[in-house]
Structures are given as structure tokens and as C-alpha cells.
Amino acid sequence: MSVDNSSEAGSASSYIPRPNSLVEDVYDAIFAQLMALKIAPGSRITVDNLVKEFNVSQTPIREALGRLEGEGLVQKTHLVGYRAAPQITRRRFDELYELRLLLEPHSAARAAAMMDDVKLRAIREAAGIMARRDGHDERARYSNFARLDAIFHDTILKCAENELIRETLAFQHTHFHIFRLMFHSRVTEEALDEHAAILAAFAAADSAHAEAAMRRHIECSRDRLLPAFD
Ligand SMILES: [Zn+2]
């Protein structure tokens, strides 16, 4: 997982890769294009085109595509090749948010009840990276935000100490799919304020407020993304 702010997603060929980070760099570059809809949902992904674009061999590209396939962002069809996963349907979107609303506010309450310095530091750190402005263009920043939001929410689930709930949500790769619905700075700016409210509740080890703040954040996130279906 690379959250290195000095890397430039989308232009992997512009810096000298260390051998074991080449796949990581190619992965980051393709991930950024998928999240920013530069590779449109449902469209073909041609290995040869990526070879030319990133100026690397097929091997790291196939490895990166395999990893993206595992995350549900890329689909591979026998004899056809790779395709970007189609956009999630309205029905699936509703189902995902229902699942999140069932599990995440409850988990936030549990995490707050078990809060200690180590957990609070881990959650603060996950939240702090997101707030940082850097030299990225907006689209790269957006794709980075999707990944960091996933880590922030996963860290809270980890602190709630129910691995089954954590795995259930991780398996959906929710953030990767919902962030592909629309590219809009509102999605990131407003979420940061809501995260701050969640953090404040954790700092006070206040279960009721943590639960309410998480519920509000997920409901607001849903309402921000709903116009994508209009
Ligand atoms: Zn969030």
C-alpha cells in the first residue's frame, strides 16, 4: 500500500522505479485511472496499450491487473481479456449502504467503548493522512482519498475487534466502487468534517456520539453520491 505523496499516480514512467515497487507503481497508476474514470466503467483494458503508456513490460501490468481483479475493479474474461468492472447498479448501491448502516455505526460504538491510546493514535493517523494537501492534481487526489477513506473505516472496524464484520465489509471493496460513481471535490471536502466529528467522539471515548457520528457520515456519503444515478 503506497500513500507516498511524492509518487505521481498516472505518470508511472516519470520516475525511476525500484525493482520490487514496479508492480506497485503500475498498480497505483491504473488504480488512479479507474477511480478518476479515465478508464470508463465497463470499457476494455488492453495490456499492449498499457505497455506503451507506462513503458514497462507485460509482466508487471498483468500482475497489477490481477490485483485489481481481486479487488473487483477489473474483470478478466477468457479469450476476451480485461475490462473495467461495470458501474454498480442503484440496487447494489442501496444494498451496500444498508449493510454499512447496519454494521459501521455499531462498530464505531464498540470501538469507542474499547478506545485506548494506541487505537486512538492509529485512527488519528489514518484520518490525518487524508486531510493533507499535496501537489497532486484533483483527480489523483480523489483516487488517493478513496483508498485512504477505505483505510480510515477499516482501522475503526479493526479497533472494534470483530474480525468477521471487518472481513465482511472489506470483501465488498465498497469504497472503490462508490468513489467511482462520481468525481466531485464535495465528496472529499465534506467527508473530512464528518471524520473530524467521529474522531472527536473517539477522543472522548463516547460510544453514543461515535455511533451517531458514523451513522451521519454514512448517510451523508450516500446522499452525496445519489445524484450519480440521476
Ligand atoms: Zn469516510
Side-chain angles (χ1 to χ4, degrees):
M1 180 89 40
S2 169
V3 289
D4 179 0
N5 289 331
S6 67
S7 72
E8 277 184 50
S11 55
S13 58
S14 64
Y15 56 104
I16 301 162
R18 288 153 287 144
N20 57 358
S21 72
L22 182 58
V23 174
E24 191 77 18
D25 291 340
V26 171
Y27 167 87
D28 283 343
I30 302 172
F31 176 84
Q33 294 196 7
L34 286 163
M35 298 309 287
L37 307 182
K38 214 181 144 195
I39 300 175
S43 65
R44 281 282 303 275
I45 300 172
T46 317
V47 173
D48 286 344
N49 286 350
L50 294 174
V51 165
K52 282 184 212 127
E53 185 175 349
F54 300 134
N55 197 25
V56 296
S57 72
Q58 287 200 2
T59 309
I61 287 171
R62 289 188 186 282
E63 264 183 65
L65 288 171
R67 195 170 142 196
L68 290 159
E69 190 187 3
E71 291 171 336
L73 279 171
V74 162
Q75 294 174 349
K76 190 183 180 190
T77 314
H78 184 55
L79 299 178
V80 177
Y82 297 97
R83 202 176 274 285
Q87 198 66 280
I88 62 166
T89 60
R90 174 63 200 271
R91 187 193 168 98
R92 190 65 170 174
F93 177 85
D94 290 342
E95 289 172 352
L96 272 173
Y97 271 88
E98 189 178 358
L99 182 70
R100 292 190 71 186
L101 284 167
L102 282 169
L103 298 178
E104 291 195 56
H106 164 80
S107 298
R110 264 180 68 96
M114 295 187 284
M115 196 49 54
D116 59 36
D117 287 348
V118 175
K119 288 177 171 177
L120 188 61
R121 202 178 312 127
I123 296 173
R124 272 193 173 135
E125 202 178 295
I129 298 170
M130 303 177 78
R132 220 174 282 152
R133 294 283 187 281
D134 54 43
H136 276 143
D137 67 62
E138 276 300 301
R139 282 186 180 274
R141 202 170 91 79
Y142 186 81
S143 74
N144 212 21
F145 187 91
R147 190 198 300 276
L148 295 173
D149 193 40
I151 295 171
F152 176 70
H153 286 264
D154 181 66
T155 305
I156 293 168
L157 293 167
K158 191 177 175 188
C159 292
E161 295 182 19
N162 182 323
E163 278 302 303
L164 184 57
I165 290 179
R166 188 181 172 207
E167 284 165 23
T168 300
L169 284 162
F171 185 68
Q172 300 303 323
H173 301 292
T174 310
H175 294 79
F176 294 173
H177 293 290
I178 60 177
F179 275 85
R180 251 185 357 149
L181 280 169
M182 65 194 302
F183 167 75
H184 202 299
S185 57
R186 255 188 73 208
V187 174
T188 55
E189 299 307 319
E190 294 181 7
L192 288 177
D193 293 338
E194 293 155 21
H195 283 182
I198 295 168
L199 272 179
F202 284 144
D206 184 331
S207 283
H209 274 108
E211 180 166 1
M214 181 61 85
R215 185 177 309 282
R216 186 168 173 278
H217 172 45
I218 296 171
E219 285 171 348
C220 289
S221 161
R222 180 192 61 200
D223 294 347
R224 277 192 293 270
L225 291 164
L226 266 178
F229 293 101
D230 290 346

